[in-house]
Amino acid sequence: MQIPLDYETLRVIWWGLMGVLLIGFALTDGFDLGVAALLPFVARNDGERRMVINTISATWEGNQVWFILGGGAIFAAWPFVYAVSFSGFYLAMFAVLASLILRPVGFKYRSKRPSKTWRSAWDWALFVGGFAPTLVFGVAVGNVLRGIPFHLDSDLRATYTGTFFGLFTPFTLVCGLLSVAMLVTHGAAWLTIKAEHGAVRDRARTFGQIAALAAIVLFAVGYAFVAFGGLGFRIDGVIDPSGPSNPLRAASLAAPGGWLTNFASYPWMWIAPVLGFAGAVLALVGIRAGKEVPAFAGSSLSALGIIATVGLSMFPFILPSSIDPKSSLTVWNASSSHMTLFIMLVVTVIFLPIVLAYTAWAYKVMFGRSSVGALTTNPDLY
């Protein structure tokens, strides 16, 4: 069968699609995580907390589709990346999944008993289910930028030499806190749109402003780490973008400041960090002024810009190795076969628009504010 797209093009397309799925997850499930992290702080009584929960009750399950799609895409399109990252980050992944499991259980069981202690415990469980994954996702991205301590042998078997607590360094914690600030801003902006109760909206605006300002500062600190902290890698020599997927066929080298090379070579890439900063500023101004749509648009643009900044700065690297740079996984040496990528693209072209259309329809149907009064009249609410 003659494949109409060459191998190099398909690899770049799937690198881009992986970014789209990660951004889609941040923009949709991101505000769910942000709302959950804000729950104990923006709502002071049972009615307010139930109202906050019900601002995301209709959409949180559908939003997790992006998380599942992202994991599936990594498994199918970048099997080496999936194998190394999921085995190396096993304990961190377990912590994320355990935290995420608290969300559906918390939603379903929180209001089953009238006990104040019972409900408070589930409220904090929902907080953990929102805060912990957000922090760990950011820490994981920070570790990818630092390089993962793994190496491949001649049979392409990966050996990970890191530890769970070794994942937490000053730089990776900055990345984790940036992730929290970014999604808390997104969650606060969502609450200003969906929550009807004035006091809850006011508290959400207060925390949203703090989070947006923190995101601006932490993004700047992260840039300083990348520019002056000895981070970065580069390809050594010439590589064939259409060559076979063998991670050992081309060497990579540690290159302090290397993550900024792409921005020097392709100035248009500066759009991403500019969006990261400008979106956070727009969110801050919008939340402070009580302008709901600009606030949510700003938090969305900020998340898009911050995630895109990481992806563009690292290209073509996906998972660099800190202890054996020649084992680093890139767009050119870690993908599935030419045919596999093409078949996956055909499936994606067919089904991704369906997912987008269904998501848009679901948001249209569920549009409207959540109120305390509705809790007494609608038995379907949490």
Side-chain angles (χ1 to χ4, degrees):
M1 175 182 174
Q2 182 66 34
I3 300 175
L5 294 172
D6 62 67
Y7 205 4
E8 177 184 357
T9 300
L10 282 171
R11 282 169 162 163
V12 174
I13 288 174
W14 271 104
W15 170 82
L17 283 173
M18 187 167 67
V20 168
L21 294 175
L22 292 176
I23 291 170
F25 172 66
L27 296 186
T28 55
D29 207 35
F31 65 73
D32 294 337
L33 295 170
V35 168
L38 285 169
L39 175 62
F41 309 105
V42 299
R44 301 291 173 80
N45 57 53
D46 186 66
E48 289 181 354
R49 291 186 175 182
R50 287 187 65 195
M51 181 193 66
V52 169
I53 289 171
N54 280 285
T55 62
I56 58 176
S57 63
T59 55
W60 73 270
E61 288 180 289
N63 291 340
Q64 289 195 134
V65 167
W66 295 97
F67 182 60
I68 297 169
L69 287 175
I74 294 174
F75 172 76
W78 313 99
F80 288 110
V81 176
Y82 181 90
V84 173
S85 61
F86 277 65
S87 59
F89 292 152
Y90 182 82
L91 290 178
M93 292 289 184
F94 183 85
V96 167
L97 292 177
S99 301
L100 291 176
I101 288 170
L102 289 174
R103 288 205 300 170
V105 179
F107 286 140
K108 299 295 183 182
Y109 282 92
R110 180 199 180 277
S111 297
K112 294 298 185 183
R113 294 177 59 186
S115 167
K116 183 177 180 179
T117 302
W118 170 271
R119 295 189 174 193
S120 179
W122 283 116
D123 289 337
W124 284 104
L126 289 171
F127 163 78
V128 172
F131 177 83
T134 304
L135 178 68
V136 173
F137 287 145
V139 168
V141 171
N143 275 278
V144 170
L145 287 167
R146 287 179 64 233
I148 309 301
F150 76 94
H151 68 271
L152 301 172
D153 64 18
S154 58
D155 294 322
L156 299 181
R157 291 175 298 190
T159 300
Y160 179 79
T161 60
T163 63
F164 176 74
F165 292 106
L167 297 174
F168 299 92
T169 68
F171 172 66
T172 62
L173 285 174
V174 166
C175 294
L177 292 175
L178 172 59
S179 176
V180 171
M182 178 182 78
L183 296 189
V184 166
T185 303
H186 203 36
W190 177 255
L191 283 175
T192 64
I193 294 175
K194 290 289 290 183
E196 186 176 73
H197 200 285
V200 171
R201 286 210 311 275
D202 290 342
R203 295 182 200 119
R205 288 175 58 193
T206 298
F207 283 104
Q209 291 176 63
I210 296 171
L213 183 59
I216 295 170
V217 173
L218 289 167
F219 195 27
V221 172
Y223 171 81
F225 265 105
V226 169
F228 308 110
L231 303 177
F233 293 82
R234 66 176 177 84
I235 300 294
D236 183 31
V238 179
I239 188 170
D240 179 11
S242 297
S245 283
N246 182 346
L248 300 181
R249 72 182 174 90
S252 303
L253 297 174
W259 292 145
L260 299 180
T261 302
N262 282 345
F263 294 103
S265 302
Y266 307 99
W268 62 267
M269 289 185 177
W270 284 103
I271 295 173
V274 168
L275 278 179
F277 282 114
V281 171
L282 178 60
L284 175 62
V285 173
I287 292 173
R288 177 173 294 178
K291 303 296 184 182
E292 300 155 0
V293 174
F296 191 73
S299 65
S300 300
L301 288 174
S302 180
L304 186 156
I306 290 171
I307 295 171
T309 296
V310 175
L312 291 172
S313 67
M314 290 185 61
F315 186 85
F317 288 91
I318 301 178
L319 207 63
S321 170
S322 60
I323 61 173
D324 184 26
K326 71 175 184 296
S327 295
S328 297
L329 306 180
T330 72
V331 171
W332 313 129
N333 69 12
S335 72
S336 291
S337 69
H338 193 179
M339 178 64 74
T340 299
L341 294 182
F342 177 69
I343 293 173
M344 287 174 58
L345 181 61
V346 172
V347 173
T348 301
V349 168
I350 294 171
F351 287 101
L352 186 58
I354 296 174
V355 172
L356 292 172
Y358 172 78
T359 300
W361 176 81
Y363 275 93
K364 182 174 184 291
V365 170
M366 303 297 179
F367 187 77
R369 291 191 184 273
S370 176
S371 68
V372 175
L375 301 174
T376 61
T377 59
N378 189 342
D380 296 324
L381 296 180
Y382 289 137

